[in-house]
Amino acid sequence: MFFRGLLLRAVTAATDARRPVALALACAVSALVFALVHVVDAGSPTALWVVGAGTFVFGLAAASVTAVTGRLGGAMVAHIVFNGLVVVPALLR
């Protein structure tokens, strides 16, 4: 809710550009901050790049869904599924 609900909308509103440019910039900023928050606990340089790249790409996708639909639900469902794809296999070991 913070990244797509607050940050995405705040950057879009603060950007002095036409709407498509403002949305693209807001999606990129939201995805970058999302990725940076997730790499704080990276244990190695390899993990930093893998986790950083993965969460940045996911952040772009989730922000794009929110920007296109104007709703948070799609990004929330995508986040649940994304986390489930990581957690469920770890539990099945």
Side-chain angles (χ1 to χ4, degrees):
M1 291 173 63
F2 170 76
F3 298 104
R4 263 59 81 192
L6 179 66
L7 186 60
L8 183 74
R9 290 177 181 156
V11 173
T12 302
T15 304
D16 188 27
R18 292 187 7 223
R19 182 153 173 82
V21 174
L23 283 174
L25 180 62
C27 287
V29 168
S30 172
L32 180 63
V33 175
F34 182 72
L36 290 174
V37 168
H38 282 82
V39 298
V40 171
D41 293 332
S44 69
T46 302
L48 181 124
W49 285 104
V50 170
V51 171
T55 54
F56 179 74
V57 170
F58 175 78
L60 280 176
S64 297
V65 167
T66 301
V68 167
T69 64
R71 301 178 62 90
L72 295 173
M76 293 171 80
V77 169
H79 198 210
I80 292 166
V81 171
F82 186 80
N83 286 348
L85 291 173
V86 174
V87 173
V88 171
L91 293 174
L92 296 176
R93 286 187 185 181

Coordinates of all heavy atoms in Angstrom, one line a residue:
M1 N 0.8 -1.2 0.0 CA 0.0 0.0 0.0 C 0.9 1.3 0.0 O 0.5 2.3 -0.6 CB -0.9 0.0 1.2 CG -2.0 -1.1 1.1 SD -3.0 -1.4 2.5 CE -3.9 0.2 2.6
F2 N 2.0 1.2 0.6 CA 2.9 2.3 0.7 C 3.5 2.7 -0.7 O 3.4 3.8 -1.2 CB 4.1 2.1 1.7 CG 5.1 3.2 1.6 CD1 4.9 4.4 2.1 CD2 6.3 3.0 0.9 CE1 5.9 5.4 2.0 CE2 7.3 3.9 0.8 CZ 7.1 5.2 1.4
F3 N 4.0 1.6 -1.4 CA 4.7 1.9 -2.7 C 3.8 2.2 -3.8 O 4.0 3.2 -4.5 CB 5.6 0.6 -3.1 CG 6.6 0.3 -2.1 CD1 6.5 -0.7 -1.2 CD2 7.8 1.1 -2.0 CE1 7.5 -1.0 -0.3 CE2 8.8 0.8 -1.1 CZ 8.6 -0.2 -0.2
R4 N 2.7 1.5 -3.9 CA 1.7 1.8 -5.0 C 0.6 2.8 -4.6 O 0.1 3.5 -5.4 CB 1.1 0.5 -5.4 CG 1.7 -0.1 -6.7 CD 3.2 -0.5 -6.6 NE 3.4 -1.8 -5.9 CZ 4.6 -2.1 -5.5 NH1 5.6 -1.4 -5.7 NH2 4.7 -3.3 -4.9
G5 N 0.2 2.8 -3.3 CA -0.8 3.6 -2.9 C -0.4 5.1 -2.6 O -0.9 6.0 -3.1
L6 N 0.7 5.2 -1.8 CA 1.2 6.5 -1.4 C 2.3 7.0 -2.3 O 2.2 8.1 -2.9 CB 1.7 6.5 0.0 CG 2.2 7.8 0.6 CD1 1.1 8.8 0.7 CD2 2.8 7.5 2.0
L7 N 3.4 6.3 -2.5 CA 4.5 6.8 -3.2 C 4.2 7.0 -4.7 O 4.6 8.0 -5.2 CB 5.7 5.8 -3.0 CG 7.0 6.2 -3.6 CD1 7.5 7.5 -3.0 CD2 8.1 5.1 -3.4
L8 N 3.6 6.0 -5.3 CA 3.3 6.2 -6.7 C 2.4 7.4 -7.0 O 2.7 8.2 -7.9 CB 2.6 4.9 -7.2 CG 2.2 4.9 -8.7 CD1 3.4 4.6 -9.6 CD2 1.2 3.8 -9.0
R9 N 1.4 7.6 -6.2 CA 0.5 8.7 -6.4 C 1.2 10.0 -6.0 O 1.0 11.1 -6.7 CB -0.7 8.5 -5.5 CG -1.6 7.4 -6.1 CD -2.8 7.2 -5.2 NE -3.6 6.1 -5.8 CZ -4.4 5.3 -5.1 NH1 -4.6 5.5 -3.9 NH2 -5.1 4.3 -5.7
A10 N 2.0 10.0 -5.0 CA 2.7 11.3 -4.6 C 3.7 11.7 -5.7 O 3.8 12.9 -6.0 CB 3.5 11.1 -3.3
V11 N 4.5 10.8 -6.3 CA 5.4 11.1 -7.3 C 4.7 11.6 -8.6 O 5.1 12.5 -9.2 CB 6.4 9.9 -7.6 CG1 7.3 10.3 -8.8 CG2 7.2 9.6 -6.4
T12 N 3.6 10.9 -8.9 CA 2.8 11.3 -10.1 C 2.3 12.8 -9.9 O 2.4 13.6 -10.8 CB 1.6 10.4 -10.3 OG1 2.1 9.1 -10.5 CG2 0.8 10.8 -11.5
A13 N 1.8 13.1 -8.7 CA 1.2 14.4 -8.4 C 2.4 15.5 -8.4 O 2.1 16.6 -8.8 CB 0.5 14.4 -7.1
A14 N 3.5 15.1 -7.9 CA 4.6 16.1 -7.8 C 5.4 16.3 -9.1 O 6.1 17.3 -9.2 CB 5.6 15.6 -6.7
T15 N 5.2 15.4 -10.0 CA 5.9 15.6 -11.3 C 5.3 16.6 -12.2 O 4.1 16.5 -12.4 CB 6.0 14.2 -12.0 OG1 6.6 13.3 -11.2 CG2 6.8 14.3 -13.3
D16 N 6.0 17.5 -12.6 CA 5.5 18.6 -13.5 C 5.7 18.2 -14.9 O 6.5 18.7 -15.7 CB 6.2 19.9 -13.2 CG 5.6 21.1 -13.9 OD1 4.4 21.0 -14.2 OD2 6.3 22.1 -14.2
A17 N 5.0 17.2 -15.3 CA 5.1 16.6 -16.7 C 3.7 16.1 -17.1 O 2.8 16.1 -16.3 CB 6.1 15.5 -16.7
R18 N 3.6 15.8 -18.4 CA 2.3 15.3 -18.9 C 2.1 13.9 -18.2 O 3.0 13.3 -17.8 CB 2.4 15.1 -20.4 CG 2.4 16.5 -21.1 CD 2.3 16.5 -22.6 NE 2.1 15.2 -23.2 CZ 2.7 14.7 -24.3 NH1 3.6 15.5 -24.9 NH2 2.4 13.6 -24.8
R19 N 0.8 13.6 -18.2 CA 0.4 12.4 -17.4 C 1.2 11.1 -17.8 O 1.6 10.4 -16.9 CB -1.1 12.2 -17.5 CG -1.6 11.0 -16.7 CD -3.0 11.1 -16.3 NE -3.5 9.9 -15.7 CZ -3.3 9.6 -14.4 NH1 -2.7 10.4 -13.6 NH2 -3.9 8.5 -13.9
P20 N 1.4 10.7 -19.0 CA 2.1 9.5 -19.3 C 3.6 9.5 -18.8 O 4.1 8.5 -18.3 CB 2.1 9.4 -20.8 CG 0.9 10.2 -21.3 CD 0.8 11.3 -20.3
V21 N 4.2 10.7 -18.9 CA 5.6 10.8 -18.4 C 5.6 10.8 -16.9 O 6.5 10.1 -16.3 CB 6.2 12.1 -19.0 CG1 7.6 12.4 -18.4 CG2 6.3 12.1 -20.5
A22 N 4.7 11.4 -16.3 CA 4.6 11.4 -14.8 C 4.3 10.0 -14.3 O 5.0 9.6 -13.3 CB 3.5 12.3 -14.4
L23 N 3.5 9.2 -14.9 CA 3.2 7.9 -14.5 C 4.4 7.0 -14.7 O 4.7 6.1 -13.9 CB 2.0 7.3 -15.3 CG 0.6 7.8 -14.8 CD1 -0.5 7.2 -15.7 CD2 0.4 7.3 -13.4
A24 N 5.1 7.1 -15.8 CA 6.3 6.3 -16.1 C 7.4 6.6 -15.0 O 8.0 5.7 -14.5 CB 6.8 6.6 -17.5
L25 N 7.6 7.9 -14.7 CA 8.6 8.3 -13.7 C 8.2 7.7 -12.4 O 9.0 7.2 -11.6 CB 8.8 9.8 -13.7 CG 9.8 10.3 -12.7 CD1 11.2 9.8 -13.0 CD2 9.7 11.8 -12.7
A26 N 6.9 7.9 -12.0 CA 6.4 7.4 -10.7 C 6.5 5.9 -10.6 O 6.9 5.4 -9.5 CB 4.9 7.8 -10.6
C27 N 6.3 5.1 -11.7 CA 6.4 3.7 -11.7 C 7.9 3.3 -11.4 O 8.2 2.4 -10.6 CB 6.0 3.1 -13.0 SG 4.2 3.0 -13.2
A28 N 8.8 4.0 -12.1 CA 10.2 3.7 -11.9 C 10.7 4.1 -10.5 O 11.5 3.3 -9.9 CB 11.1 4.5 -13.0
V29 N 10.3 5.2 -10.0 CA 10.7 5.6 -8.6 C 10.2 4.6 -7.6 O 10.9 4.1 -6.7 CB 10.3 7.0 -8.3 CG1 10.4 7.3 -6.8 CG2 11.1 8.0 -9.1
S30 N 8.9 4.2 -7.7 CA 8.3 3.3 -6.8 C 9.0 1.9 -6.9 O 9.2 1.3 -5.8 CB 6.8 3.1 -7.2 OG 6.2 2.1 -6.5
A31 N 9.3 1.5 -8.1 CA 10.0 0.2 -8.2 C 11.4 0.2 -7.6 O 11.8 -0.7 -7.0 CB 10.0 -0.2 -9.7
L32 N 12.1 1.3 -7.8 CA 13.4 1.4 -7.3 C 13.4 1.4 -5.8 O 14.2 0.7 -5.2 CB 14.1 2.7 -7.9 CG 15.5 3.0 -7.4 CD1 16.4 1.9 -7.9 CD2 16.0 4.3 -7.9
V33 N 12.6 2.2 -5.2 CA 12.5 2.2 -3.7 C 12.1 0.9 -3.2 O 12.6 0.4 -2.2 CB 11.5 3.3 -3.2 CG1 11.3 3.3 -1.7 CG2 12.1 4.7 -3.7
F34 N 11.1 0.2 -3.9 CA 10.7 -1.1 -3.5 C 11.9 -2.1 -3.5 O 12.1 -2.9 -2.6 CB 9.6 -1.6 -4.5 CG 9.0 -3.0 -4.2 CD1 8.2 -3.1 -3.1 CD2 9.3 -4.0 -5.0 CE1 7.6 -4.4 -2.9 CE2 8.7 -5.3 -4.8 CZ 7.9 -5.4 -3.7
A35 N 12.7 -2.1 -4.6 CA 13.9 -2.9 -4.7 C 14.9 -2.6 -3.6 O 15.5 -3.5 -3.0 CB 14.5 -2.8 -6.1
L36 N 15.1 -1.3 -3.4 CA 16.1 -1.0 -2.3 C 15.7 -1.5 -1.0 O 16.6 -1.9 -0.2 CB 16.3 0.5 -2.3 CG 17.1 1.1 -3.6 CD1 17.1 2.6 -3.5 CD2 18.5 0.6 -3.7
V37 N 14.5 -1.4 -0.6 CA 14.0 -1.9 0.7 C 14.2 -3.4 0.8 O 14.6 -3.9 1.8 CB 12.5 -1.5 0.9 CG1 11.9 -2.3 2.1 CG2 12.4 0.0 1.1
H38 N 14.1 -4.1 -0.3 CA 14.2 -5.6 -0.3 C 15.7 -6.0 -0.3 O 15.9 -7.2 0.0 CB 13.4 -6.2 -1.4 CG 12.0 -6.2 -1.1 ND1 11.1 -5.2 -1.3 CD2 11.2 -7.2 -0.7 CE1 9.9 -5.5 -1.0 NE2 9.9 -6.7 -0.6
V39 N 16.6 -5.2 -0.7 CA 18.0 -5.7 -0.7 C 18.8 -5.3 0.5 O 20.0 -5.7 0.6 CB 18.8 -5.1 -2.0 CG1 18.2 -5.6 -3.2 CG2 18.9 -3.7 -1.9
V40 N 18.1 -4.7 1.5 CA 18.8 -4.4 2.7 C 19.4 -5.6 3.4 O 20.5 -5.5 4.0 CB 17.8 -3.6 3.7 CG1 18.4 -3.4 5.1 CG2 17.4 -2.3 3.1
D41 N 18.8 -6.7 3.4 CA 19.3 -7.9 4.1 C 20.0 -8.9 3.1 O 20.2 -10.0 3.5 CB 18.1 -8.7 4.7 CG 17.5 -7.9 5.9 OD1 18.3 -7.1 6.5 OD2 16.3 -8.0 6.2
A42 N 20.4 -8.5 2.0 CA 21.0 -9.4 1.0 C 22.4 -9.8 1.6 O 23.2 -9.0 2.1 CB 21.3 -8.7 -0.3
G43 N 22.6 -11.1 1.6 CA 23.8 -11.7 2.3 C 25.0 -11.6 1.5 O 26.1 -11.7 2.1
S44 N 24.9 -11.5 0.2 CA 26.1 -11.6 -0.7 C 25.9 -10.6 -1.9 O 24.7 -10.3 -2.1 CB 26.4 -13.0 -1.2 OG 25.4 -13.4 -2.1
P45 N 26.9 -10.3 -2.6 CA 26.8 -9.4 -3.8 C 25.9 -10.1 -4.8 O 25.1 -9.4 -5.5 CB 28.2 -9.3 -4.3 CG 29.1 -9.4 -3.1 CD 28.4 -10.4 -2.2
T46 N 26.0 -11.4 -5.0 CA 25.1 -12.1 -5.9 C 23.7 -12.0 -5.5 O 22.8 -11.7 -6.3 CB 25.5 -13.6 -6.0 OG1 26.9 -13.7 -6.4 CG2 24.7 -14.3 -7.0
A47 N 23.4 -12.2 -4.2 CA 22.0 -12.1 -3.7 C 21.5 -10.7 -3.9 O 20.3 -10.5 -4.2 CB 21.9 -12.5 -2.2
L48 N 22.4 -9.7 -3.7 CA 22.0 -8.3 -3.8 C 21.5 -8.1 -5.3 O 20.4 -7.5 -5.5 CB 23.1 -7.4 -3.5 CG 22.8 -5.9 -3.7 CD1 23.1 -5.2 -2.4 CD2 23.6 -5.3 -4.8
W49 N 22.2 -8.6 -6.3 CA 21.8 -8.3 -7.6 C 20.6 -9.1 -8.0 O 19.7 -8.6 -8.7 CB 23.0 -8.7 -8.6 CG 24.0 -7.6 -8.6 CD1 25.2 -7.6 -8.0 CD2 23.9 -6.3 -9.1 NE1 25.9 -6.4 -8.1 CE2 25.1 -5.6 -8.9 CE3 22.9 -5.6 -9.9 CZ2 25.3 -4.3 -9.3 CZ3 23.1 -4.3 -10.3 CH2 24.3 -3.7 -10.0
V50 N 20.5 -10.4 -7.6 CA 19.4 -11.2 -7.9 C 18.1 -10.7 -7.3 O 17.1 -10.5 -8.0 CB 19.6 -12.7 -7.5 CG1 18.3 -13.5 -7.7 CG2 20.7 -13.3 -8.4
V51 N 18.1 -10.4 -6.0 CA 17.0 -9.9 -5.3 C 16.6 -8.5 -5.8 O 15.4 -8.2 -6.0 CB 17.2 -9.9 -3.8 CG1 16.1 -9.2 -3.0 CG2 17.3 -11.3 -3.3
G52 N 17.6 -7.7 -6.0 CA 17.4 -6.3 -6.5 C 16.7 -6.3 -7.8 O 15.8 -5.6 -8.0
A53 N 17.3 -7.1 -8.8 CA 16.7 -7.1 -10.1 C 15.3 -7.7 -10.1 O 14.4 -7.1 -10.8 CB 17.6 -7.9 -11.1
G54 N 15.1 -8.8 -9.4 CA 13.8 -9.4 -9.3 C 12.7 -8.5 -8.7 O 11.6 -8.4 -9.3
T55 N 13.1 -7.9 -7.6 CA 12.1 -7.0 -7.0 C 11.9 -5.7 -7.8 O 10.8 -5.2 -7.8 CB 12.4 -6.7 -5.5 OG1 13.7 -6.1 -5.5 CG2 12.3 -7.9 -4.7
F56 N 12.9 -5.2 -8.5 CA 12.7 -4.1 -9.3 C 11.7 -4.4 -10.5 O 10.8 -3.6 -10.7 CB 14.0 -3.5 -9.9 CG 13.9 -2.3 -10.7 CD1 13.6 -1.1 -10.2 CD2 14.0 -2.4 -12.1 CE1 13.5 0.0 -11.0 CE2 13.9 -1.3 -12.9 CZ 13.6 -0.1 -12.4
V57 N 11.9 -5.5 -11.2 CA 11.1 -5.9 -12.3 C 9.6 -6.1 -11.7 O 8.7 -5.6 -12.4 CB 11.6 -7.1 -13.0 CG1 10.6 -7.7 -14.0 CG2 12.9 -6.8 -13.7
F58 N 9.5 -6.8 -10.6 CA 8.2 -7.0 -10.1 C 7.6 -5.6 -9.7 O 6.4 -5.4 -9.9 CB 8.2 -7.9 -8.8 CG 6.9 -8.0 -8.2 CD1 5.9 -8.8 -8.7 CD2 6.6 -7.2 -7.1 CE1 4.7 -8.9 -8.1 CE2 5.3 -7.3 -6.5 CZ 4.4 -8.1 -7.0
G59 N 8.4 -4.8 -9.1 CA 7.9 -3.4 -8.7 C 7.4 -2.6 -9.9 O 6.3 -1.9 -9.8
L60 N 8.1 -2.7 -11.0 CA 7.6 -2.1 -12.2 C 6.3 -2.6 -12.7 O 5.4 -1.9 -13.1 CB 8.7 -2.2 -13.4 CG 9.9 -1.3 -13.4 CD1 10.8 -1.7 -14.5 CD2 9.5 0.1 -13.5
A61 N 6.2 -3.9 -12.7 CA 4.9 -4.6 -13.1 C 3.8 -4.2 -12.2 O 2.7 -3.8 -12.7 CB 5.1 -6.1 -13.2
A62 N 4.0 -4.3 -10.9 CA 2.9 -3.9 -9.9 C 2.5 -2.5 -10.0 O 1.3 -2.1 -10.0 CB 3.4 -4.3 -8.5
A63 N 3.5 -1.6 -10.2 CA 3.2 -0.2 -10.3 C 2.5 0.1 -11.6 O 1.6 0.9 -11.7 CB 4.5 0.6 -10.3
S64 N 2.8 -0.6 -12.7 CA 2.1 -0.4 -14.0 C 0.7 -0.9 -13.9 O -0.2 -0.2 -14.4 CB 2.9 -1.2 -15.1 OG 4.2 -0.7 -15.2
V65 N 0.4 -2.0 -13.2 CA -0.9 -2.4 -13.0 C -1.7 -1.4 -12.3 O -2.9 -1.1 -12.6 CB -1.0 -3.8 -12.3 CG1 -2.4 -4.2 -11.8 CG2 -0.4 -4.9 -13.2
T66 N -1.1 -0.9 -11.2 CA -1.8 0.2 -10.4 C -2.1 1.4 -11.2 O -3.1 2.0 -11.1 CB -1.0 0.5 -9.1 OG1 -0.9 -0.7 -8.4 CG2 -1.7 1.5 -8.3
A67 N -1.1 1.8 -12.0 CA -1.2 3.1 -12.8 C -2.3 2.9 -13.9 O -3.0 3.8 -14.1 CB 0.2 3.4 -13.4
V68 N -2.3 1.8 -14.5 CA -3.3 1.5 -15.5 C -4.7 1.4 -15.0 O -5.7 2.0 -15.5 CB -2.9 0.3 -16.4 CG1 -4.1 -0.1 -17.3 CG2 -1.7 0.5 -17.2
T69 N -4.9 0.7 -13.9 CA -6.2 0.4 -13.4 C -6.7 1.5 -12.4 O -7.9 1.7 -12.2 CB -6.3 -0.9 -12.7 OG1 -5.4 -0.9 -11.5 CG2 -5.9 -2.1 -13.6
G70 N -5.7 2.2 -11.7 CA -6.1 3.2 -10.7 C -6.5 2.5 -9.4 O -7.0 3.2 -8.5
R71 N -6.2 1.2 -9.3 CA -6.6 0.5 -8.1 C -5.5 -0.3 -7.5 O -4.6 -0.7 -8.3 CB -7.8 -0.5 -8.4 CG -9.0 0.3 -8.9 CD -10.2 -0.6 -9.2 NE -10.7 -1.3 -8.1 CZ -11.6 -0.9 -7.3 NH1 -12.2 0.3 -7.5 NH2 -12.0 -1.6 -6.3
L72 N -5.5 -0.7 -6.3 CA -4.4 -1.4 -5.6 C -4.6 -2.9 -5.6 O -3.6 -3.7 -5.4 CB -4.2 -1.0 -4.2 CG -3.8 0.5 -3.9 CD1 -3.8 0.8 -2.5 CD2 -2.4 0.7 -4.5
G73 N -5.8 -3.4 -5.9 CA -6.1 -4.8 -5.8 C -5.2 -5.7 -6.6 O -4.7 -6.7 -6.2
G74 N -5.0 -5.3 -7.9 CA -4.2 -6.2 -8.8 C -2.8 -6.3 -8.3 O -2.2 -7.4 -8.3
A75 N -2.2 -5.2 -7.8 CA -0.8 -5.3 -7.3 C -0.7 -6.1 -6.1 O 0.2 -6.8 -5.8 CB -0.3 -3.9 -7.1
M76 N -1.8 -6.0 -5.2 CA -1.8 -6.8 -4.0 C -1.9 -8.3 -4.3 O -1.1 -9.1 -3.6 CB -2.9 -6.3 -3.1 CG -2.7 -4.9 -2.6 SD -4.1 -4.2 -1.7 CE -3.9 -5.0 -0.1
V77 N -2.7 -8.7 -5.2 CA -2.8 -10.1 -5.5 C -1.5 -10.6 -6.2 O -1.1 -11.7 -5.8 CB -4.1 -10.3 -6.5 CG1 -4.0 -11.7 -7.1 CG2 -5.4 -10.0 -5.8
A78 N -0.9 -9.8 -7.0 CA 0.3 -10.1 -7.6 C 1.4 -10.3 -6.6 O 2.2 -11.3 -6.7 CB 0.7 -9.1 -8.7
H79 N 1.4 -9.5 -5.6 CA 2.4 -9.6 -4.5 C 2.2 -10.8 -3.7 O 3.2 -11.5 -3.4 CB 2.3 -8.3 -3.6 CG 3.6 -8.1 -2.8 ND1 3.5 -7.5 -1.6 CD2 4.9 -8.4 -3.0 CE1 4.7 -7.5 -1.1 NE2 5.6 -8.0 -1.9
I80 N 1.0 -11.2 -3.4 CA 0.7 -12.4 -2.7 C 1.2 -13.6 -3.5 O 1.8 -14.5 -2.9 CB -0.8 -12.5 -2.4 CG1 -1.2 -11.4 -1.3 CG2 -1.2 -13.9 -1.9 CD1 -2.7 -11.2 -1.2
V81 N 0.9 -13.6 -4.8 CA 1.3 -14.8 -5.6 C 2.8 -14.8 -5.7 O 3.4 -15.9 -5.6 CB 0.6 -14.7 -7.0 CG1 1.2 -15.7 -8.0 CG2 -0.9 -14.8 -6.9
F82 N 3.5 -13.7 -5.9 CA 4.9 -13.6 -6.0 C 5.6 -14.2 -4.8 O 6.5 -15.0 -4.8 CB 5.3 -12.2 -6.3 CG 6.8 -12.0 -6.6 CD1 7.3 -12.3 -7.8 CD2 7.7 -11.6 -5.6 CE1 8.7 -12.1 -8.1 CE2 9.0 -11.4 -5.8 CZ 9.5 -11.7 -7.1
N83 N 5.1 -13.7 -3.6 CA 5.6 -14.2 -2.3 C 5.3 -15.7 -2.2 O 6.2 -16.5 -1.6 CB 5.1 -13.4 -1.2 CG 5.7 -12.1 -1.1 OD1 6.7 -11.7 -1.7 ND2 5.1 -11.2 -0.3
G84 N 4.2 -16.1 -2.6 CA 3.8 -17.6 -2.5 C 4.7 -18.4 -3.3 O 5.0 -19.6 -2.9
L85 N 5.1 -17.9 -4.5 CA 6.1 -18.7 -5.3 C 7.4 -18.9 -4.7 O 8.2 -19.8 -5.0 CB 6.2 -18.0 -6.7 CG 5.0 -18.0 -7.6 CD1 5.2 -17.2 -8.8 CD2 4.6 -19.5 -7.9
V86 N 7.7 -18.1 -3.7 CA 9.0 -18.2 -3.0 C 8.8 -19.0 -1.7 O 9.6 -19.9 -1.4 CB 9.6 -16.8 -2.6 CG1 10.8 -16.9 -1.8 CG2 9.9 -16.0 -3.9
V87 N 7.8 -18.8 -1.0 CA 7.6 -19.4 0.3 C 7.1 -20.8 0.2 O 7.7 -21.7 0.9 CB 6.5 -18.6 1.2 CG1 6.2 -19.3 2.4 CG2 7.1 -17.2 1.5
V88 N 6.2 -21.1 -0.6 CA 5.6 -22.5 -0.7 C 6.7 -23.5 -1.1 O 6.8 -24.6 -0.4 CB 4.4 -22.6 -1.7 CG1 4.0 -24.0 -1.9 CG2 3.3 -21.8 -1.1
P89 N 7.6 -23.3 -2.1 CA 8.6 -24.3 -2.4 C 9.6 -24.4 -1.2 O 10.1 -25.5 -0.9 CB 9.3 -23.7 -3.6 CG 8.3 -22.8 -4.3 CD 7.5 -22.3 -3.1
A90 N 9.9 -23.4 -0.5 CA 10.8 -23.4 0.7 C 10.2 -24.3 1.8 O 10.9 -25.0 2.5 CB 11.1 -22.1 1.2
L91 N 8.8 -24.2 1.9 CA 8.2 -25.1 3.0 C 8.1 -26.5 2.6 O 8.0 -27.4 3.4 CB 6.8 -24.5 3.2 CG 6.7 -23.1 3.9 CD1 5.2 -22.7 3.9 CD2 7.3 -23.1 5.2
L92 N 8.1 -26.8 1.3 CA 8.0 -28.2 0.8 C 9.3 -29.0 0.8 O 9.3 -30.1 0.5 CB 7.4 -28.2 -0.6 CG 6.0 -27.7 -0.7 CD1 5.5 -27.6 -2.2 CD2 5.0 -28.5 0.1
R93 N 10.4 -28.3 1.2 CA 11.7 -29.0 1.2 C 11.8 -30.0 2.3 O 11.5 -30.1 3.3 CB 12.8 -28.0 1.4 CG 13.1 -27.2 0.2 CD 14.3 -26.4 0.4 NE 14.5 -25.5 -0.7 CZ 15.5 -24.7 -0.8 NH1 16.4 -24.6 0.1 NH2 15.6 -23.9 -1.8

